[in-house]
Short mmCIF file of all heavy atoms in Angstrom, two decimals:
data_model
loop_
_atom_site.label_atom_id
_atom_site.label_comp_id
_atom_site.label_asym_id
_atom_site.label_seq_id
_atom_site.Cartn_x
_atom_site.Cartn_y
_atom_site.Cartn_z
N ASN A 10 11.30 99.16 -104.16
CA ASN A 10 11.05 97.84 -104.62
C ASN A 10 12.48 97.16 -104.65
O ASN A 10 13.31 97.56 -105.48
CB ASN A 10 10.43 97.84 -105.99
CG ASN A 10 10.49 96.52 -106.77
OD1 ASN A 10 10.76 95.51 -105.99
ND2 ASN A 10 10.19 96.49 -107.98
N LYS A 12 13.35 94.23 -105.30
CA LYS A 12 13.42 93.15 -106.41
C LYS A 12 14.11 91.93 -105.70
O LYS A 12 13.86 91.69 -104.53
CB LYS A 12 14.19 93.74 -107.54
CG LYS A 12 13.66 94.99 -108.02
CD LYS A 12 14.14 95.50 -109.48
CE LYS A 12 13.60 96.81 -109.77
NZ LYS A 12 13.76 97.07 -111.15
N HIS A 95 4.28 94.33 -112.09
CA HIS A 95 5.48 94.88 -112.36
C HIS A 95 5.90 94.49 -113.77
O HIS A 95 5.68 93.38 -114.09
CB HIS A 95 6.52 94.65 -111.32
CG HIS A 95 7.73 95.49 -111.49
ND1 HIS A 95 8.72 95.28 -112.39
CD2 HIS A 95 8.07 96.53 -110.77
CE1 HIS A 95 9.58 96.14 -112.28
NE2 HIS A 95 9.37 97.03 -111.38
N GLU A 167 5.29 103.15 -114.59
CA GLU A 167 6.74 102.91 -114.84
C GLU A 167 7.07 102.59 -116.31
O GLU A 167 6.99 101.49 -116.72
CB GLU A 167 6.96 101.59 -113.99
CG GLU A 167 6.78 101.83 -112.44
CD GLU A 167 7.68 101.00 -111.62
OE1 GLU A 167 7.80 99.74 -111.96
OE2 GLU A 167 8.39 101.44 -110.75
N ALA A 171 12.66 103.26 -118.66
CA ALA A 171 13.24 104.07 -117.63
C ALA A 171 13.58 103.23 -116.34
O ALA A 171 14.25 103.74 -115.40
CB ALA A 171 12.30 105.14 -117.24
N ILE A 172 13.25 101.97 -116.41
CA ILE A 172 13.37 101.12 -115.18
C ILE A 172 14.91 100.59 -115.20
O ILE A 172 15.31 99.81 -116.10
CB ILE A 172 12.43 99.99 -115.07
CG1 ILE A 172 11.01 100.58 -114.87
CG2 ILE A 172 12.79 99.06 -113.97
CD1 ILE A 172 9.94 99.55 -114.87
N GLY A 173 15.63 100.88 -114.16
CA GLY A 173 16.97 100.37 -113.98
C GLY A 173 17.92 100.87 -115.00
O GLY A 173 18.97 100.31 -115.10
N GLY A 211 7.61 105.64 -111.35
CA GLY A 211 8.79 104.78 -111.11
C GLY A 211 9.56 104.73 -112.37
O GLY A 211 9.05 104.67 -113.50
N GLY A 212 10.94 104.69 -112.25
CA GLY A 212 11.79 104.55 -113.30
C GLY A 212 13.01 105.51 -113.09
O GLY A 212 12.91 106.58 -113.38
N SER A 213 14.16 104.82 -112.48
CA SER A 213 15.28 105.68 -112.16
C SER A 213 14.91 106.79 -111.35
O SER A 213 15.74 107.93 -111.62
CB SER A 213 16.03 105.99 -113.54
OG SER A 213 16.43 104.82 -114.18
N LEU A 232 7.81 104.93 -106.92
CA LEU A 232 8.17 103.48 -106.71
C LEU A 232 9.67 103.48 -107.09
O LEU A 232 9.95 103.74 -108.29
CB LEU A 232 7.19 102.62 -107.58
CG LEU A 232 7.44 101.00 -107.43
CD1 LEU A 232 7.38 100.65 -105.96
CD2 LEU A 232 6.57 100.17 -108.28
N VAL A 233 10.49 103.06 -106.16
CA VAL A 233 11.93 103.34 -106.32
C VAL A 233 12.60 101.89 -106.24
O VAL A 233 12.58 101.21 -105.22
CB VAL A 233 12.35 104.15 -105.19
CG1 VAL A 233 13.80 104.48 -105.37
CG2 VAL A 233 11.64 105.55 -105.09
N GLY A 234 13.33 101.54 -107.39
CA GLY A 234 14.00 100.36 -107.37
C GLY A 234 15.39 100.47 -106.78
O GLY A 234 15.62 100.39 -105.51
N GLY A 235 16.33 100.63 -107.67
CA GLY A 235 17.74 100.66 -107.27
C GLY A 235 18.12 101.58 -106.18
O GLY A 235 18.80 101.18 -105.21
C1 LIG B 301 11.16 99.46 -110.39
O1 LIG B 301 11.58 98.37 -110.68
O2 LIG B 301 10.02 99.48 -109.83
C2 LIG B 301 12.01 100.59 -110.52
C3 LIG B 301 11.27 101.87 -110.72
O3 LIG B 301 13.41 100.49 -110.68
P1 LIG B 301 14.55 101.57 -110.77
O4 LIG B 301 14.07 102.74 -109.67
O5 LIG B 301 15.82 101.01 -110.49
O6 LIG B 301 14.43 102.23 -112.19
#
Side-chain angles (χ1 to χ4, degrees):
N10 173 13
K12 311 194 184 192
H95 191 281
E167 299 208 307
I172 295 181
S213 299
L232 183 55
V233 183

